[in-house]
Amino acid sequence: MWASSTVRMNFPLLRQLTQTQIKALEETAEALHTEVVQAQVIPFDDPEVVERRVYGKRGQFAKNGREYKGRLVKETVHGGGNLQNNSTFVDYTNVQTGRAVLSSTAPYARRLYFHPEYHFDKGENPNARGKWYEDWLQGGKHQDFCQKAFVESYRRITEL
């Protein structure tokens, strides 16, 4: 018995499918980021107004001859709100190799994440806690979210 076959590769179509996978991965990472923010699990503090005194030069005197006691300045101190809104983003640098990273640039993010024993303010985000990604990791209640989001995104893009 003898068999012969010819295989013709459609490289433009394969390239298009690869680009579709990359686009679906980017959309999945953004969907995860949105899902985590909407779940309100990232610690988020309300802005706090702090009053402090600002002094002039040493030995400065007011017009009446008394020593200058400084002036009262109000400044807004932000808590963890920047962690959720400005500091957490999706990093696409390795998306060509199939890797998108949800990252936080705030210096205190690691400390808050790995210490769930902290008392988190639940005023803005009622579900705030440490280890806020646990629900989306393996064994969590939303562990299949990324797989479903990728499949849905890939199907939607390829149907165009």
Side-chain angles (χ1 to χ4, degrees), residues 55-71:
Y55 298 97
K57 297 176 185 173
R58 185 174 175 177
Q60 179 180 2
F61 289 92
K63 290 181 181 178
N64 60 5
R66 295 184 185 164
E67 188 173 356
Y68 183 64
K69 300 293 183 187
R71 62 185 171 95

Side-chain angles (χ1 to χ4, degrees), residues 148-160:
K148 289 179 180 178
F150 181 81
V151 169
E152 177 188 332
S153 179
Y154 188 74
R155 284 182 183 159
R156 186 180 43 75
I157 294 170
T158 54
E159 287 178 0
L160 295 177

Side-chain angles (χ1 to χ4, degrees), residues 33-97:
H33 180 226
T34 303
E35 180 78 11
V36 170
V37 170
Q38 288 179 352
Q40 298 179 337
V41 293
I42 299 177
F44 187 107
D45 289 337
D46 293 329
E48 180 182 346
V49 177
V50 177
E51 295 180 351
R52 63 181 181 92
R53 293 206 173 268
V54 177
Y55 298 97
K57 297 176 185 173
R58 185 174 175 177
Q60 179 180 2
F61 289 92
K63 290 181 181 178
N64 60 5
R66 295 184 185 164
E67 188 173 356
Y68 183 64
K69 300 293 183 187
R71 62 185 171 95
L72 201 57
V73 176
K74 294 181 179 182
E75 66 181 28
T76 304
V77 179
H78 294 281
N82 289 337
L83 178 62
Q84 174 179 301
N85 296 332
N86 302 330
S87 298
T88 302
F89 62 95
V90 180
D91 183 12
Y92 298 115
T93 53
N94 294 327
V95 77
Q96 296 292 334
T97 60

